[in-house]
Amino acid sequence: MKFDQRSFVGKSFRPLPDFQINEGLKILSLLTAWGPTDQNNRVLDFLSQNYEEKFSDSEKTANYPKLESLSLGENRIRKLLLECNEWIFRELNEKKRGQFAYELFCGNFEKNEFIFSQIGQPFVYLDREGLPLQSLGAPLDFSALLAHKAKRLAPLPSSLIGLYPDTHFSVFSLPLQAKDRVFFFCRDIIPLEILQIPNQKRNLDSFLEFFVSEDEKAPCWLGELSFE
């Protein structure tokens, strides 16, 4: 897996994600801290280490029962995020009144399948040859939900991991084809015009130019994941 990123500061604040790729396990984690950032590496390391230690052996059990409606890989990602939420709440927040809160995306690439889940942003899009961009996940900022008419508000996350002892999210599986890519966008809204950008112009620089031209005040972060 290969990952690249771009960002634009804009006129208001949105924290930039940190990312970690575990090449051996083929796991990508994107973590956006809405609060102190000094524990980011611990959270990212927790995700990699616990995926390997607890879920690489299919006979091992976790604190959360397996869901029969999910595949083995989907159950692993589900359990990993539940364990991560519990760990952040217990280790970082229980005695510090919710100082540490994160948006989180976690995905595993295995046997031409990308299994992923997220709590909060980024927006996630599939880039596949011959097709328009396909939305895989569109978690809006609260700023977009609370805005009145054309007025844009400063970014505000709508969902965070680690603030409570439990959490909820969905897990998705994406069968991959040759040359598929996944794009990630952290931004208050994504204009529908982005779907009209043709295949040959879908790259981070073109997307960044598009976002800045749409609103030069809105901060954004962009990421691109390829599987070759």
Side-chain angles (χ1 to χ4, degrees), residues 8-115:
F8 176 72
V9 175
K11 300 296 183 180
S12 56
F13 173 73
R14 192 179 216 288
L16 299 178
D18 280 336
F19 76 92
Q20 184 182 92
I21 289 183
N22 186 310
E23 291 288 354
L25 298 174
K26 295 187 180 300
I27 293 177
L28 168 69
S29 300
L30 301 172
L31 186 73
T32 306
W34 289 85
T37 60
D38 57 295
Q39 300 298 317
N40 284 16
N41 287 336
R42 287 186 67 194
V43 177
L44 291 170
D45 289 343
F46 177 93
L47 292 164
S48 291
Q49 294 169 5
N50 279 266
Y51 188 92
E52 182 173 25
E53 293 173 3
K54 295 187 178 182
F55 308 131
S56 59
D57 184 349
S58 61
E59 297 301 319
K60 291 183 179 180
T61 59
N63 296 331
Y64 303 95
K66 176 182 177 181
L67 297 184
E68 295 299 328
S69 59
L70 300 181
S71 68
L72 175 61
E74 291 167 341
N75 268 297
R76 287 174 177 172
I77 291 294
R78 172 183 172 270
K79 293 177 182 179
L80 181 64
L81 266 63
L82 289 171
E83 292 262 339
C84 184
N85 181 82
E86 182 183 7
W87 179 82
I88 295 172
F89 177 79
R90 184 183 66 249
E91 296 294 326
L92 304 182
N93 277 331
E94 198 164 25
K95 297 180 180 179
K96 296 186 179 180
R97 300 181 180 179
Q99 290 186 24
F100 295 89
Y102 306 93
E103 292 179 299
L104 173 64
F105 176 96
C106 187
N108 173 231
F109 172 49
E110 184 177 2
K111 297 179 181 179
N112 292 322
E113 185 178 39
F114 189 51
I115 300 172

Side-chain angles (χ1 to χ4, degrees), residues 198-213:
N199 276 110
Q200 63 271 21
K201 293 186 178 180
R202 293 178 198 161
N203 58 67
L204 292 181
D205 292 329
S206 294
F207 286 134
L208 183 61
E209 181 180 355
F210 169 81
F211 287 136
V212 174
S213 64

Side-chain angles (χ1 to χ4, degrees), residues 1 7 17 20 45-46 101 103 117 119 131 157 167 169 178 180 199 215 227:
M1 296 194 300
S7 63
Q20 184 182 92
D45 289 343
F46 177 93
E103 292 179 299
S117 188
I119 298 172
L131 292 176
T167 187
F169 52 86
D180 278 355
N199 276 110
D215 189 339
F227 300 93

Side-chain angles (χ1 to χ4, degrees), residues 36 42 64 76 78 81 128 133 155 160 171 173 179 191-192 194 221:
R42 287 186 67 194
Y64 303 95
R76 287 174 177 172
R78 172 183 172 270
L81 266 63
R128 177 169 289 173
L133 281 177
L160 295 164
V171 184
S173 296
K179 299 183 180 180
L192 290 177
I194 198 172
W221 172 91

Side-chain angles (χ1 to χ4, degrees), residues 14 34 103 121 123 139-148 153-160 187-189:
R14 192 179 216 288
W34 289 85
E103 292 179 299
Q121 288 206 13
F123 292 90
L140 287 173
D141 268 15
F142 265 138
S143 60
L145 298 175
L146 298 175
H148 294 282
L153 302 177
L156 184 67
S158 60
S159 186
L160 295 164
R187 199 173 187 264
D188 57 346
I189 60 172

